[in-house]
Amino acid sequence: MERTLSIIKPDATLRNITGKVNAMIEDAGLKIVAQKRIRLTKEQAEEFYDVHKDKVFFPNLVEFMTSGPVVVQVLEADNAVELYRKIMGATNPAVAEEGTIRKTYALSIDKNTVHGSDSLENAKREIEFFFSHVEIDH
Ligand code: ADP
Ligand code: MG
């Protein structure tokens, strides 16, 4: 069993579709083993997306991720990291595959509904960023 970190982004909480996204996650065989709705501070968003700090879209990304509440979640399955990336679809919904979360719900390349860890190593870091062991070790 593997775990990955998911974030349902502000465009989705704003449209009240977090349940619809969760249904797609569960239908794909991923189990939501921890979940909470929070509002990120600017500092937290900057730290979480530190890897992108030199990109032109970084200020916009931080502004968007702090523009409303997010739902952070830990997902569990065999091969969870790769499986979730697959069902999320491409970063840009215009080129995402049919049936993926982003193709179905994303509004644009920035308002793209979900985040998912891109490696097992980053999943571990990202889960520890948001969750303490008492919230997930069950
Ligand atoms: P992913 O979320 O698919 O792993 P990246 O890690 O490359 O994508 O980028 C992180 C997030 O930054 C994206 O999900 C998206 O919200 C935003 N982003 C990425 N590229 C762009 C871009 N060219 N313009 C605006 N926002 C972008
Ligand atoms: Mg990424």
Side-chain angles (χ1 to χ4, degrees):
M1 276 294 166
E2 196 173 285
R3 284 172 173 177
T4 192
L5 189 279
S6 164
I7 306 177
I8 303 181
K9 297 187 177 185
D11 65 283
T13 59
L14 194 72
R15 287 178 286 155
N16 204 24
I17 57 168
T18 64
K20 290 191 166 88
V21 173
N22 278 351
M24 291 184 81
I25 289 168
E26 293 182 341
D27 286 348
L30 287 148
K31 186 175 282 184
I32 302 164
V33 297
Q35 173 170 258
K36 58 189 172 188
R37 187 177 191 266
I38 58 173
R39 180 83 180 245
L40 291 175
T41 65
K42 184 169 183 281
E43 291 69 31
Q44 289 165 342
E46 285 173 348
E47 188 185 348
F48 183 79
Y49 279 116
D50 186 63
V51 65
H52 294 306
K53 66 175 182 293
D54 298 325
K55 307 269 172 63
V56 286
F57 61 79
F58 184 71
N60 175 72
L61 175 60
V62 170
E63 197 191 325
F64 168 59
M65 291 302 289
T66 57
S67 67
V70 297
V71 176
V72 292
Q73 348 175 261
V74 179
L75 309 181
E76 190 176 87
D78 285 331
N79 210 18
V81 171
E82 203 185 311
L83 175 59
Y84 191 45
R85 292 293 301 192
K86 187 171 179 318
I87 69 150
M88 282 166 57
T91 309
N92 184 353
V95 301
E97 266 184 61
E98 228 32 80
T100 60
I101 295 170
R102 282 167 165 170
K103 180 69 177 184
T104 307
Y105 292 118
L107 301 173
S108 60
I109 193 169
D110 50 332
K111 295 185 172 69
N112 62 2
T113 310
V114 281
H115 164 88
S117 310
D118 62 6
S119 68
L120 198 49
E121 190 188 346
N122 284 336
K124 190 171 184 303
R125 180 187 81 85
E126 294 178 1
I127 289 168
E128 283 171 5
F129 185 89
F130 286 113
F131 293 94
S132 77
H133 72 95
V134 297
E135 293 176 298
I136 45 174
D137 284 358
H138 49 76

